Amino acid sequence: VPNENNECIVCEDKENCIKCNIEDLSDCIICKGNTILHEGKCISKCPPESFYNEETKTCEKCPVNCKVCDEDKCEECKGSFFLNEQGQCVTKCEEGFYEDPITKKCIECLTENCSVCSTKECIVCVEPFKLTVDGECKSTCEDGTFEEKERKCKECDQKCELCSSLVDCEKCLPPFKLS
């Protein structure tokens, strides 16, 4: 960098910096080769929570609450956040997904038509589906079961084939008869 007397002055980072600020020789303006200009310094890779923008040749911040990203899509979230299918960090996963504490990702429920689930099972089905005793989401409760509150199917009394509640048997299993 030439000074006021047209003498060349070496930038503080002579290894990586081609041009620097004449008032502050540690403040680089243009970097050599594969190094990246970031906050006045030439660096080999972008700092944590940022990514290299190929177009602008600069490091840019990751989306909010994101620890590792590739452009505007997050790959790993910070702290208590979970990564959803859209590459965003959320505190609660959307309907049909559960928060996996190990992978810190939103994982799709294994049961079809399930809106709330855990790692192993469906807890609540999407309306109007009912949660069967087998943990599936179906349009009606199966024979030998009845719909209880919150669209959950419960088993009838062991002597009953069809029922509308635990105490209202409509058809008995043989050899039993309605009294």
Side-chain angles (χ1 to χ4, degrees), residues 3 9 12 22 28 30 45 63 74 82 97 99 114 117 140 144-145 152-153 156-157 161:
N3 64 10
I9 299 172
E12 198 172 282
I22 193 74
C28 192
I30 300 172
K45 66 178 192 164
C74 190
F82 297 90
F97 291 81
E99 295 87 16
C114 184
C117 62
T140 58
T145 66
K152 289 187 179 179
C153 301
C156 297
D157 178 88
E161 189 176 331

Side-chain angles (χ1 to χ4, degrees), residues 146 155-157 160 162-170 178:
F146 65 94
E155 287 186 344
C156 297
D157 178 88
C160 190
L162 295 173
C163 64
S164 54
S165 75
L166 199 53
V167 292
D168 294 318
C169 186
E170 294 162 10
L178 285 174

Side-chain angles (χ1 to χ4, degrees), residues 6-18:
N6 258 358
E7 300 170 318
C8 286
I9 299 172
V10 178
C11 295
E12 198 172 282
D13 180 5
K14 60 182 175 230
E15 296 290 314
N16 299 306
C17 187
I18 296 170

Side-chain angles (χ1 to χ4, degrees), residues 82 91-94 97-101 105-107 117 119:
F82 297 90
T91 52
K92 185 159 177 40
C93 297
E94 62 200 72
F97 291 81
Y98 68 92
E99 295 87 16
D100 187 318
K105 291 182 179 180
C106 294
I107 307 293
C117 62
T119 54

